[in-house]
Amino acid sequence: MAPRALDYESLNENVKKVQYAVRGELYLRASELQKEGKKIIFTNVGNPHALGQKPLTFPRQVVALCQAPFLLDDPNVGLLFPADAIAKAKHYLALTTGGLGAYSDSRGMPGVRKEVADFIERRDGYPSDPELIFLTDGASKGVMQILNTIIRGESDGVLVPVPQYPLYSAAISLFGGSLVPYYLEETENWGLDVNNLRQSVAQARYKGITVKAMVIINPGNPTGQCLSESNLREILRFCYQENLALLGDEVYQQNIYQDERPFISARKVMMGMGPPISKEVQLVSFHTVSKGYWGECGQRGGYFEMTNIPPKTVDEIYKVASVSLSPNVPAQIFMGLMVNPLKPGDISYEQFIRESKGVLESLRRRARMMTDGFNSCKNVICNFTEGAMYSFPQIKLPPKAIEAAKRAGKVPDVFYCLKLLEATGISTVPGSGFGQKDGVFHLRTTILPAEEEMPEIMDSFKKFNNEFMEQYDDRSGYSRM
């Protein structure tokens, strides 16, 4: 009998090619161990609330009232909710047609898109057009929408930083395109070298690949670095020279843990460069409510903004967005609240600032604790997490450990991470899931575990690591850069 439509043999080959390490072998093993009753610390995914981060009070109050608008008619509503939350809920309900249970425009509610445009103008100092902003179910959906629009087949390539967030490799595989890697320099604090970019493009073209776009992740995931203004200028010049669209993944723009390199958007730098670059480089920027001090991953709220994209292309993107009818409406309200925050003098302002500052200051301390913890371990070196939510230490594995991994049929850093998981319950992601140079091994962990648990987690990691190194140490050298 011929295979049926959903038998494995009949499936779309692009689906089979997709790899997504963040929810891969390690995560599945961690889930099994958890079912067996072992305490697991899931540091494999940037999921703040799952690791104990408290939701901000004010946005939840507003969305609660929007979800249950009958509360607004209750004479006692003012005893439970502050007046500014009640006013905001009425504001957002007025922007909907039929409340949160009704579809919105496929690009998202016009009123919220206007709030996003105003936020971008305040941030960058240049006006933004709400008609070129699409609200999406998290930034990931927006990234997939744009990659799907760009990629025509396997001869179309997209430049992606390596190490990279596996959303990009997975989506490029799914849409049948080619990932063109450009390597970040670990010894230069994961900096970006434009000569390296030129080389990557030349190699891809030699293979017959048309490089159409370049991805930047700023601040970096998994590497945690922040791009400088001069680096962004070089990137924009390069995109102009090579005729590439620039995809700016800027979802961690609130997560900055040092003062030397504040976040600066690719759009602000591009506009500041003036014509021809400001008028000709095609730029799509992404943001979300899942990161920063909001951490509202489960709400799935995001947006992308397009600059210098032809109107006909915008129409095509709108048409495809319409197939999904509407981004989820509560998430659009979260986005509106994020980009149009409380102002000094508002009743809830002091509490909001106290809560958001508390989260960011704690993350800053945790970034330092984790970096210092890794650097105190034998054969581990780690760049400081300047931004985002991750540490990406290099693990210098002894040759004996690499041999043991081969015998077990495992990639060496997968072998190490599995041993770490079994011994400590710490669930990480091997560096091989993000891409890395040959013979160099890493792991990625979030800096999100509760601050009070961090010393114990780092002690437990150090104890495991030092015992592992002792077990496989043959004093004859290590894998290293």
Side-chain angles (χ1 to χ4, degrees):
M1 186 173 127
R4 295 162 300 172
L6 286 169
D7 286 351
Y8 183 76
E9 302 73 23
S10 298
L11 297 182
N12 177 344
E13 287 303 320
N14 290 341
V15 170
K16 294 184 198 173
K17 281 181 202 160
V18 169
Q19 302 284 325
Y20 190 66
V22 173
R23 294 277 171 107
E25 180 182 1
L26 260 291
Y27 174 75
L28 297 173
R29 179 66 187 131
S31 302
E32 272 173 27
L33 289 170
Q34 192 180 41
K35 281 180 197 150
E36 291 165 18
K38 188 171 175 73
K39 186 191 172 195
I40 302 296
I41 302 154
F42 284 99
T43 71
N44 59 301
V45 65
N47 193 6
H49 292 191
L51 287 163
Q53 183 175 311
K54 295 277 183 290
L56 300 173
T57 305
F58 181 75
R60 287 295 185 98
Q61 288 171 326
V62 175
V63 176
L65 287 166
C66 291
Q67 289 278 21
F70 50 82
L71 293 175
L72 293 166
D73 301 327
D74 190 302
N76 294 321
V77 69
L79 299 175
L80 279 174
F81 293 89
D84 48 5
I86 293 167
K88 272 283 192 198
K90 287 177 176 171
H91 160 73
Y92 284 112
L93 285 169
L95 296 181
T96 67
T97 43
L100 272 57
Y103 291 130
S104 75
D105 183 286
S106 303
R107 290 166 297 188
M109 291 186 273
V112 176
R113 286 188 280 125
K114 170 78 171 73
E115 290 180 340
V116 173
D118 292 345
F119 156 77
I120 292 168
E121 182 169 352
R122 284 194 310 276
R123 185 194 66 188
D124 296 344
Y126 299 94
S128 168
D129 182 354
E131 295 301 300
L132 298 174
I133 291 165
F134 281 47
L135 302 180
T136 54
D137 294 336
S140 305
K141 275 282 163 67
V143 167
M144 293 180 81
Q145 239 167 306
I146 296 300
L147 287 173
N148 196 15
T149 305
I150 288 172
I151 294 167
R152 298 165 300 183
E154 63 186 337
S155 62
D156 281 344
V158 178
L159 273 167
V160 176
V162 173
Q164 54 102 27
Y165 174 49
L167 161 68
Y168 292 95
S169 48
I172 291 165
S173 291
L174 190 60
F175 302 133
S178 294
L179 185 145
V180 180
Y182 67 90
Y183 286 92
L184 302 174
E185 287 304 323
E186 186 166 13
T187 51
E188 301 298 321
N189 206 24
W190 298 114
L192 182 156
D193 181 353
V194 173
N195 294 325
N196 199 326
L197 285 175
R198 288 201 177 92
Q199 226 174 340
S200 295
V201 170
Q203 283 170 352
R205 286 179 181 152
Y206 180 73
K207 292 176 189 164
I209 293 168
T210 304
V211 183
K212 295 187 74 184
M214 173 178 175
V215 173
I216 54 169
I217 308 175
N218 181 37
N221 175 9
T223 42
Q225 84 290 6
C226 296
L227 291 175
S228 66
E229 190 171 343
S230 62
N231 228 178
L232 284 163
R233 273 204 203 96
E234 285 183 303
I235 290 163
L236 285 154
R237 246 180 249 117
F238 174 78
C239 288
Y240 174 71
Q241 289 158 358
E242 300 292 344
N243 200 18
L244 305 177
L246 182 61
L247 310 185
D249 180 335
E250 297 175 337
V251 300
Y252 295 103
Q253 58 189 264
Q254 294 171 334
N255 297 96
I256 306 294
Y257 311 124
Q258 38 69 45
D259 303 317
E260 297 75 45
R261 259 207 287 263
F263 169 76
I264 179 164
S265 74
R267 187 175 184 273
K268 180 180 174 117
V269 175
M270 182 171 94
M271 291 303 184
M273 291 173 82
I277 286 173
S278 63
K279 293 273 184 238
E280 291 186 35
V281 173
Q282 297 180 336
L283 171 67
V284 185
S285 308
F286 304 89
H287 199 8
T288 183
V289 300
S290 299
K291 309 302 174 187
Y293 43 83
W294 288 65
E296 292 281 5
C297 297
Q299 309 290 355
R300 310 311 302 131
Y303 76 73
F304 61 85
E305 183 208 23
M306 298 173 280
T307 309
N308 299 329
I309 309 295
K312 274 186 160 177
T313 303
V314 176
D315 291 345
E316 292 299 319
I317 294 169
Y318 186 20
K319 178 182 74 183
V320 174
S322 303
V323 175
S324 302
L325 291 168
S326 158
N328 97 65
V329 176
Q332 296 182 47
I333 294 172
F334 272 103
M335 180 54 78
L337 288 160
M338 185 176 87
V339 297
N340 185 16
L342 288 157
K343 292 167 186 64
D346 290 341
I347 298 162
S348 303
Y349 177 77
E350 295 297 333
Q351 183 186 12
F352 180 79
I353 290 297
R354 194 169 59 249
E355 289 176 353
S356 49
K357 264 192 170 162
V359 171
L360 280 182
E361 283 166 5
S362 173
L363 283 168
R364 191 182 266 237
R365 290 191 295 271
R366 282 179 268 172
R368 178 51 68 200
M369 285 157 92
M370 197 163 249
T371 308
D372 291 347
F374 283 133
N375 284 323
S376 76
C377 295
K378 190 177 180 183
N379 300 336
V380 179
I381 48 170
C382 187
N383 284 322
F384 177 61
T385 301
E386 296 181 338
M389 292 178 169
Y390 311 98
S391 249
F392 198 63
Q394 184 189 145
I395 316 290
K396 292 180 272 186
L397 294 173
K400 272 189 173 173
I402 295 169
E403 284 161 25
K406 279 183 187 151
R407 283 198 301 277
K410 301 284 179 203
V411 177
D413 53 12
V414 174
F415 178 77
Y416 177 91
C417 290
L418 280 167
K419 294 271 189 207
L420 170 68
L421 172 66
E422 304 276 351
T424 65
I426 301 169
S427 174
T428 59
V429 189
S432 47
F434 301 92
Q436 55 198 351
K437 290 182 176 174
D438 282 346
V440 184
F441 305 106
H442 298 83
L443 62 81
R444 187 194 80 167
T445 170
T446 69
I447 60 167
L448 295 172
E451 190 175 338
E452 62 274 14
E453 291 175 17
M454 194 65 90
E456 190 190 332
I457 290 169
M458 295 317 291
D459 285 350
S460 155
F461 176 86
K462 185 172 184 169
K463 181 174 179 289
F464 159 77
N465 177 75
N466 292 353
E467 285 172 4
F468 179 95
M469 294 302 167
E470 208 135 292
Q471 184 185 348
Y472 292 103
D473 190 0
D474 61 1
R475 309 263 170 235
S476 67
Y478 301 95
S479 74
R480 65 165 308 144
M481 290 169 63

